Amino acid sequence: MARLRIGVLFGGASEEHPVSVKSAREVAKHLDPAKYEPFYIGITKDGEWRLCEGPEGDWERGESRPAVLAPDRGVHGLLVLDHGKYEEVRLDAVVPVLHGRYGEDGAVQGLLELAGIPYAGCDIAGSALCIDKSLTYLVARSAGIAVPEFRIVAEGEEVDPASLKYPVFVKPARSGSSFGVSKVAGPGELAAALAEAREYDVKVLVEEAVDGAEIGCAILGSGPDLVAGEVDRIALSHGFFRIHQEERPETGSDNSVAIVPADIPAASRTLVRETAKAAYRALGCKGLSRVDMFLTEDGGVVLNEVNTLPGMTSYSRYPRMMAASGLGMGAVLDRMIELALAGTGR
């Protein structure tokens, strides 16, 4: 049986470019060569697309060729520049390993839909809803899921520091990981926090600091057929959880440890999983997502955010939660590709 020709998109022009490259390296290690023929498309920080041998080494300037994803459905894949001529490379499906802006916001998903190429992960609408935390909260709240109290600060809008109840979190509305996020203890810190958040997005959220344990749940699947990985808990020694902000995250964080399985009561674990599934469905997620929540002292669950293309690095939470439930990275990738080829309603 012929191997499936799978495009692996990685890199990207967002602040999460380095994390995406690391995620792609893990994906490359676990794609079964007996099942798949991978084509690695690296996107530079400047937005140039390059067909390369893989995410290792100096792929941006090494042996790589300019490539574009053709929106023409007759091509169904890439146009690759080679010695002054374009070569067509047909793809059966694409696995986007892109995080943050231009990867999780529906942009690349729209391009893939124009091209008629099946792809892993959420569709345009689900991606756009989940990248914008204010929209995530509005939709989740309408579905009966608890969310933090928040307010949107538009471009150029001023906020009266005295109008807030501290502490609060200030964050870009549409950014990944913890880039531009600040915990503000009092009025004197607000202006600097807003300025930092606006470096990443003109739309900013100011939200209450929920008093509770940070909990995550990995979800795989579409429609009624969902698999929830083991729940994890972020144990903090100080400050707040700033994922991917460390200089060497592979060696661990200076203020947090992810405990998998989470050391919480069985009833709380069940509630977290069911809340994660409810949020996933309400937001129209497909393929995979990591749902981050807070578990409060009274046993309630409050939604934090939904990551539609969670990190896949060696130290990332999503693969660790899935592995703890018995699904290794290879099996997760097989299921992601299977769902992409099935169309999952697209």
Side-chain angles (χ1 to χ4, degrees):
M1 185 175 177
R3 294 184 297 167
L4 291 170
R5 296 162 68 88
I6 302 297
V8 179
L9 270 172
F10 68 94
S14 82
E15 59 272 11
E16 296 198 65
H17 176 101
V19 182
S20 172
V21 174
K22 292 177 183 178
S23 289
R25 289 172 184 164
E26 286 300 305
V27 169
K29 290 178 186 176
H30 292 92
L31 274 176
D32 187 344
K35 298 177 181 176
Y36 311 115
E37 181 182 2
F39 294 83
Y40 293 98
I41 307 109
I43 304 174
T44 71
K45 293 178 182 178
D46 294 327
E48 297 177 5
W49 289 42
R50 313 285 301 182
L51 182 65
C52 56
E53 293 300 313
E56 296 288 351
D58 188 16
W59 59 269
E60 296 193 39
R61 290 178 293 275
E63 291 188 8
S64 62
R65 295 179 289 167
V68 295
L69 186 69
D72 185 335
R73 293 190 171 207
V75 176
H76 207 273
L78 301 169
L79 295 176
V80 183
L81 184 62
D82 192 8
H83 297 96
K85 296 181 179 180
Y86 277 102
E87 167 194 353
E88 293 185 7
V89 175
R90 186 173 180 83
L91 300 174
D92 293 307
V94 166
V95 176
V97 191
L98 297 165
H99 310 311
R101 189 74 67 94
Y102 310 122
E104 289 183 80
D105 59 359
V108 76
Q109 289 78 10
L111 181 56
L112 288 162
E113 293 212 10
L114 279 173
I117 301 173
Y119 58 92
C122 291
D123 62 13
I124 300 169
S127 299
L129 278 177
C130 292
I131 195 70
D132 189 322
K133 297 173 183 65
S134 66
L135 298 181
T136 300
Y137 289 163
L138 290 169
V139 172
R141 189 165 61 189
S142 71
I145 298 165
V147 301
E149 291 298 322
F150 70 97
R151 63 176 292 179
I152 299 167
V153 183
E155 183 177 9
E157 182 181 351
E158 299 293 332
V159 180
D160 178 7
S163 67
L164 303 175
K165 182 180 178 181
Y166 298 92
V168 295
F169 278 97
V170 176
K171 57 182 68 173
R174 300 162 293 196
S175 182
S177 293
S178 302
F179 292 99
V181 178
S182 302
K183 187 174 183 179
V184 177
E189 301 173 8
L190 182 63
L194 287 168
E196 182 178 354
R198 282 171 169 153
E199 290 180 14
Y200 296 92
D201 194 355
V202 295
K203 184 180 181 181
V204 173
L205 245 61
V206 177
E207 66 181 55
E208 68 168 322
V210 177
D211 187 10
E214 295 199 43
I215 301 289
C217 185
I219 302 292
L220 178 67
S222 295
D225 184 21
L226 300 183
V227 174
E230 269 294 353
V231 175
D232 77 354
R233 181 178 74 85
I234 303 301
L236 287 171
S237 60
H238 61 278
F240 66 95
F241 186 43
R242 298 179 65 88
I243 190 168
H244 299 313
Q245 305 300 293
E246 306 90 344
E247 287 188 13
R248 292 185 55 80
E250 295 87 348
T251 62
S253 169
D254 63 356
N255 76 334
S256 64
V257 176
I259 299 172
V260 188
D263 49 354
I264 59 176
S268 294
R269 181 177 289 105
T270 298
L271 178 60
V272 166
R273 281 177 161 166
E274 291 307 309
T275 303
K277 289 179 181 179
Y280 189 95
R281 292 187 176 111
L283 292 159
C285 296
K286 298 174 182 177
L288 79 161
S289 290
R290 192 189 77 238
V291 183
D292 296 342
M293 294 153 282
F294 298 103
L295 179 63
T296 60
E297 287 190 2
D298 63 1
V301 175
V302 179
L303 182 65
N304 182 13
E305 64 177 358
V306 179
N307 295 269
T308 55
L309 284 169
M312 296 288 183
T313 69
S314 60
Y315 54 88
S316 292
R317 298 169 67 192
Y318 186 94
R320 292 182 66 190
M321 286 189 275
M322 280 298 177
S325 68
L327 277 178
M329 178 71 95
V332 169
L333 289 169
D334 285 347
R335 183 60 177 149
M336 287 167 56
I337 293 168
E338 178 185 331
L339 288 165
L341 292 171
T344 59
R346 282 194 278 269

